[in-house]
Amino acid sequence: MDKFVIKGPCKVRGQVSISGSKNSALPLLASTILFDEDVILENIPRVQDCNTMLNLLKSLGKIIKFSKNRRIVKISKAKRPKYFASYSIVKTMRAGILVLGPLVAKYHKSISSFPGGCILNGNSGRPIDLHLSALQKLGMKYSIKNGYIRASSKGKLKGTSIKFPTISVGASQQLIISSVLASGVSLISGLATEPEVKDLTNFLKKAGAKIKWVGKRTCRIIGVKKLKGIRYSVMGDRIETGTFCVAATLTKGKLKIKNFDPKLIQTELKILKKAGAKIKESKNQILIEGPKKIKNIRNIVTKEYGGFPTDLQPIFMVLLCKAEGISTITEKIFQGRFLHVMELQRLGAQISIKNAKAVINGNPNFGIGAEVMSSDLRASAALVLAGLTSKGITTISRVYHLDRGYEQFEKKLKKIGANIKRVSG
Ligand code: EPZ
């Protein structure tokens, strides 16, 4: 298992280019199950979760061809389609569940393993009830046996009105994809409006799907017979962008962050400005410079899009560990998403948690190197940033979590001045 060894403190300076969004690429890839014609996706991030999704599509019979740099992928029709999403592939990734709906929509049957993914909610796990009950309303029948969802439909799924009781990014994507080839009209409300959901509807519309956002959280989808092959470029990764913005702010660095539209992360940029960062936004680019002293921030609350994203919670927590005074972050999406706290404490952080609220007692001298362990994808990135700002050597184990979702993270950091190396074994 690879580790990162960081010699800190380091300052990041220079420019960094943002990769395609993992959380957008995954549903786009899953939706290619609906297509008979070729789909060419550009700007696919070279991260483990995308490899896993592509392997899953291959196991379902799809033909996958990469460009030389593996950033463009062509997905062609399965000669002999299969309907079995195996545990061995799906166990590492939450988005594996996203093939269930498209398989039933296209082939009227599927045997799909329960998905894996980051452990973010302690003992409550990450349920898929919203996915299943919404698909049921479209006419899918299912039973659960030996960890597999055995699902089928009598012919096409049937459009209907569905209102999600709570907002879920994955269940919204699942239902949008599954409704595109359904017969009749679906009116889906209570949808997530994350930019990755909008990227999905843009992609499907370009392929001929009849989808219209008719309210802030409502889509009307008129089923079509088939989708046409297209070429589409995956949007940039807003969480990677946020991570590099924090790296600059935390290390008193200066970065030009390219290939990302700053309009999509206004909430995050506002908080960074409050913390003292100087930020200049232009089209597809952010210039950010860290302050001498980081100001504390009270009352960050994670929320659905428009609000502060849960995926940046661990990363902003590191920033607040180095601020002057007390800060708080309340986690409203995954109430147990605090596994990184214990590891940050090893580096000297003073954080206490009560009822999903973290109180961070900041210290401008935060960070003495130590051995720490990654617990999930974003927690890994948070530990790397903490290592950059800590004095001495920080060793981070289990970085396979990070490889699931950040493209060449340590290489990008090295280029901008971080003293970080990957050690195998
Ligand atoms: C997506 O996960 C992202 N993953 C997550 O990013 C992100 O943290 C999350 O959305 C929230 O923004 C991908 O896009 C692949 P949800 P998802 O369904 O879709 C509850 C990362 O680091 N819920 O919006 O799984 C759930 O427990 C990952 O890149 C149900 O109760 O999240 C949670 O409390 C980690 N039943 C809330 O809804 C369900 O059937 C929101 O989860 C589904 C969800």
Side-chain angles (χ1 to χ4, degrees):
M1 270 192 274
D2 290 3
K3 293 178 178 181
F4 284 153
V5 179
I6 300 170
K7 195 169 171 203
C10 332
K11 199 178 252 202
V12 294
R13 275 184 175 276
Q15 51 180 32
V16 66
S17 188
I18 295 304
S19 300
S21 159
K22 160 186 88 81
N23 288 348
S24 181
L26 293 172
L28 295 192
L29 287 168
S31 72
T32 64
I33 291 172
L34 302 178
F35 289 71
D36 291 327
E37 294 179 19
D38 294 349
V39 175
I40 297 174
L41 288 173
E42 297 171 2
N43 206 27
I44 292 280
R46 293 175 296 185
V47 298
Q48 199 47 45
D49 272 9
C50 286
N51 293 339
T52 306
M53 182 57 94
L54 286 160
N55 284 337
L56 179 56
L57 291 177
K58 237 191 218 173
S59 78
L60 298 170
K62 285 279 191 186
I63 298 158
I64 312 285
K65 281 204 183 116
F66 288 101
S67 64
K68 242 190 186 163
N69 66 8
R70 291 182 77 88
R71 280 218 172 82
I72 303 175
V73 64
K74 181 164 104 178
I75 299 133
S76 310
K77 184 182 169 175
K79 285 198 181 112
R80 254 178 269 124
K82 299 193 182 78
Y83 329 102
F84 180 68
S86 82
Y87 170 75
S88 62
I89 302 180
V90 171
K91 68 180 176 192
T92 58
M93 184 183 66
R94 171 79 176 169
I97 190 65
L98 293 181
V99 302
L100 170 65
L103 283 174
V104 177
K106 179 78 178 158
Y107 304 114
H108 317 312
K109 55 183 166 185
S110 155
I111 302 177
S112 294
S113 168
F114 269 75
C118 293
I119 297 163
L120 304 177
N121 236 355
N123 294 335
S124 338
R126 291 178 71 183
I128 52 168
D129 55 321
L130 296 171
H131 295 247
L132 294 177
S133 58
L135 287 171
Q136 249 181 333
K137 287 185 182 137
L138 288 182
M140 183 187 90
K141 301 250 183 303
Y142 74 94
S143 62
I144 291 169
K145 203 174 166 196
N146 305 120
Y148 281 88
I149 303 140
R150 308 170 83 89
S152 62
S153 65
K154 271 194 195 149
K156 278 187 167 210
L157 292 173
K158 289 184 184 58
T160 185
S161 290
I162 294 171
K163 185 176 184 344
F164 281 109
T166 44
I167 293 163
S168 155
V169 175
S172 299
Q173 292 163 333
Q174 176 90 268
L175 207 66
I176 289 169
I177 301 170
S178 306
S179 303
V180 158
L181 297 183
S183 61
V185 181
S186 301
L187 190 69
I188 314 172
S189 50
L191 286 168
T193 58
E194 267 62 5
E196 296 77 17
V197 179
K198 295 284 173 81
D199 207 28
L200 175 67
T201 53
N202 290 340
F203 164 75
L204 291 169
K205 272 159 80 169
K206 198 172 170 200
K210 288 196 174 154
I211 304 176
K212 194 169 181 198
W213 286 89
V214 291
K216 187 183 170 212
R217 294 194 177 279
T218 306
C219 265
R220 185 168 55 229
I221 303 178
I222 303 171
V224 293
K225 286 216 168 80
K226 60 180 206 136
L227 296 172
K228 58 175 191 282
I230 49 161
R231 196 177 178 107
Y232 190 84
S233 184
V234 176
M235 66 173 286
D237 193 310
R238 66 190 164 105
I239 308 301
E240 187 194 19
T241 307
T243 305
F244 279 105
C245 285
V246 172
T249 311
L250 178 73
T251 65
K252 302 187 181 116
K254 190 175 180 182
L255 283 183
K256 185 191 272 185
I257 299 174
K258 293 171 31 175
N259 293 338
F260 189 80
D261 178 0
K263 284 195 204 88
L264 296 175
I265 54 165
Q266 285 302 304
T267 303
E268 296 88 315
L269 293 181
K270 249 186 221 157
I271 294 177
L272 288 170
K273 278 180 197 159
K274 262 195 194 169
K278 280 192 201 138
I279 298 175
K280 265 195 203 146
E281 300 166 39
S282 51
K283 199 175 168 223
N284 270 347
Q285 188 169 295
I286 300 166
L287 266 176
I288 181 160
E289 190 173 355
K292 286 210 172 78
K293 286 181 181 168
I294 299 162
K295 292 194 194 99
N296 64 328
I297 310 281
R298 289 207 179 243
N299 295 330
I300 294 181
V301 181
T302 67
K303 279 203 186 118
E304 291 84 15
Y305 186 66
F308 182 79
T310 173
D311 290 346
L312 283 173
Q313 177 259 107
I315 290 149
F316 273 64
M317 190 176 287
V318 175
L319 181 69
L320 300 176
C321 285
K322 213 174 165 71
E324 293 190 308
I326 305 273
S327 301
T328 64
I329 310 184
T330 305
E331 178 54 69
K332 291 266 192 191
I333 304 291
F334 296 108
Q335 302 211 337
R337 193 176 198 170
F338 286 117
L339 289 177
H340 46 282
V341 168
M342 199 169 83
E343 302 306 302
L344 291 175
Q345 284 165 342
R346 291 181 206 281
L347 299 169
Q350 288 186 38
I351 305 168
S352 60
I353 310 279
K354 208 175 168 191
N355 299 331
K357 181 175 184 176
V359 179
I360 304 130
N361 191 356
N363 172 4
N365 296 317
F366 164 71
I368 306 284
E371 283 179 52
V372 292
M373 190 168 76
S374 306
S375 53
D376 61 73
L377 167 58
R378 306 302 170 188
S380 314
L383 292 175
V384 170
L385 297 198
L388 295 183
T389 200
S390 294
K391 291 173 206 81
I393 305 284
T394 298
T395 308
I396 304 164
S397 58
R398 300 198 177 180
V399 298
Y400 61 86
H401 286 294
L402 187 131
D403 294 334
R404 287 185 41 213
Y406 283 88
E407 181 174 310
Q408 302 196 322
F409 195 45
E410 84 277 18
K411 285 193 184 145
K412 288 188 182 184
L413 282 171
K414 242 188 210 168
K415 266 197 193 155
I416 51 176
N419 193 339
I420 178 170
K421 67 175 181 205
R422 182 183 285 260
V423 180
S424 300

